[in-house]
Amino acid sequence: MTLASDRPADAATPASAWVLPAHWRAVEFIADLHLAEDTPATLAALAAHLRGTDADAVLLLGDIFEVWIGDDSLDESDSFEARAFATLTAAVQARHRPLGLALLVGNRDFLLGPQACRAAGLQAMADPTVLVAPWGERLLVGHGDAWCLDDTAYQAFRAQVRSTDWQDAFLARPLSERRAIARQLREASEARKRDQGVESYGDLDADAVRAALVQAGARTLVHGHTHRPACHDLGDGLSRWVLSDWHDHPVERSLMRADLLRWCADGLQRRTLPGVQPA
């Protein structure tokens, strides 16, 4: 299913703009699920939502997977990646009406490429992308990490791992070696969060976000990455809405956290999945 036209809506709209189909009435945004072998409840919650939502599309704004080591991980039928995609594909196929699915990559799953998107029926999005809705509004969406300018160490790392040379060299390693490297990086990240908390991660630069919104001709940015759900007033009628991460509780689903944002003619609305703890 083609979600949207990638042609500019007008001369002022950047090339990375999607004009949404005229019959659409609602779009939902989700980010930072960090799907992994040890978060089965998160995967189940996402699959249940995809089966039941009445939105026309669900747009996944990065870090859907805790880590993505390459699309060839799908070639192993018993891999977590292959099983997760099978679960999500089955959820969409079980629906009684079509659902558009699109994804832009985050800082954890930036290696998720065209093979994986085709396997899951996902349409790849640029980061950022301007959405032009049939109800006359524009919305800028992105993962968010590119605007965390104060974290200069991360920005240097991001530039390195997004380069073609680095990615080609990493993907040339055996899958087993890539999995080992991913485990080491995840352990280091978890240790940092335990020692310093999520607050130690940089937030988005307000001036950079305002400039991006002006360039896009939009008043609002929706993003993830920081795990700090909120709505920020940027002045001059501009704002940014931050998505919740999805936190898996191993025993009690009512202690999970799983919010999303829904966009329709009435504006943006934050919603929490039924039976789940609000962010």
Side-chain angles (χ1 to χ4, degrees):
M1 177 181 180
T2 300
L3 273 71
S5 168
D6 59 2
R7 59 180 173 79
D10 54 48
T13 303
S16 56
W18 282 12
V19 180
L20 303 182
H23 66 278
W24 280 14
R25 295 295 176 263
V27 178
E28 293 175 340
F29 306 102
I30 294 171
D32 300 291
L33 278 74
H34 295 266
L35 296 176
E37 191 82 55
D38 58 354
T39 61
T42 304
L43 178 59
L46 176 61
H49 183 69
L50 294 180
R51 284 193 300 270
T53 181
D54 64 352
D56 295 291
V58 174
L59 308 188
L60 306 171
L61 303 187
D63 284 4
I64 303 309
F65 286 85
E66 173 68 11
V67 67
W68 191 265
I69 59 173
D71 288 2
D72 54 343
S73 61
L74 296 173
D75 296 336
E76 297 181 336
S77 60
D78 62 341
S79 69
F80 168 74
E81 294 86 353
R83 288 184 280 114
F85 269 30
T87 298
L88 299 181
T89 300
V92 173
Q93 291 176 343
R95 293 174 50 84
H96 298 297
R97 61 190 298 262
L99 177 71
L101 276 179
L103 173 140
L104 60 80
V105 297
N107 55 295
R108 299 293 189 118
D109 51 12
F110 60 88
L111 287 173
L112 200 153
Q115 178 187 346
C117 286
R118 286 193 298 270
L122 289 163
Q123 189 167 340
M125 301 176 66
D127 184 6
T129 288
V130 183
L131 304 178
V132 184
W135 49 88
E137 293 293 328
R138 297 172 186 253
L139 192 69
L140 184 64
V141 299
H143 183 58
D145 60 319
W147 289 301
C148 293
L149 302 183
D150 286 344
D151 193 343
T152 55
Y154 169 72
Q155 292 301 331
F157 172 76
R158 186 181 191 275
Q160 177 188 20
V161 300
R162 297 299 181 103
S163 70
T164 301
D165 289 346
W166 186 94
Q167 293 188 9
D168 287 347
F170 181 78
L171 293 173
R173 298 171 181 261
L175 265 173
S176 58
E177 186 176 342
R178 281 179 267 156
R179 289 195 188 281
I181 293 171
R183 281 195 298 272
Q184 293 170 2
L185 292 174
R186 186 182 185 191
E187 289 169 1
S189 175
E190 291 300 313
R192 177 182 175 184
K193 283 191 288 187
R194 285 195 302 271
D195 294 342
Q196 302 178 21
V198 174
E199 292 74 16
S200 66
Y201 287 72
D203 205 352
L204 278 64
D205 183 90
D207 289 338
V209 171
R210 280 191 288 265
L213 285 168
V214 170
Q215 182 183 20
R219 295 181 299 173
T220 304
L221 167 69
V222 169
H223 71 89
H225 181 62
T226 63
H227 299 193
R228 302 170 193 164
C231 178
H232 299 272
D233 184 347
L234 301 175
D236 299 322
L238 306 178
S239 63
R240 68 178 174 99
W241 288 62
V242 190
L243 286 157
S244 163
D245 59 319
W246 284 28
H247 177 73
D248 185 352
H249 191 277
V251 178
E252 180 54 58
R253 186 168 186 262
S254 65
L255 297 179
M256 285 182 62
R257 181 171 64 228
D259 280 7
L260 57 84
L261 289 173
R262 185 180 175 95
W263 187 39
C264 62
D266 293 332
L268 278 166
Q269 305 159 359
R270 190 177 300 275
R271 295 191 175 185
T272 299
L273 267 62
V276 171
Q277 176 180 326

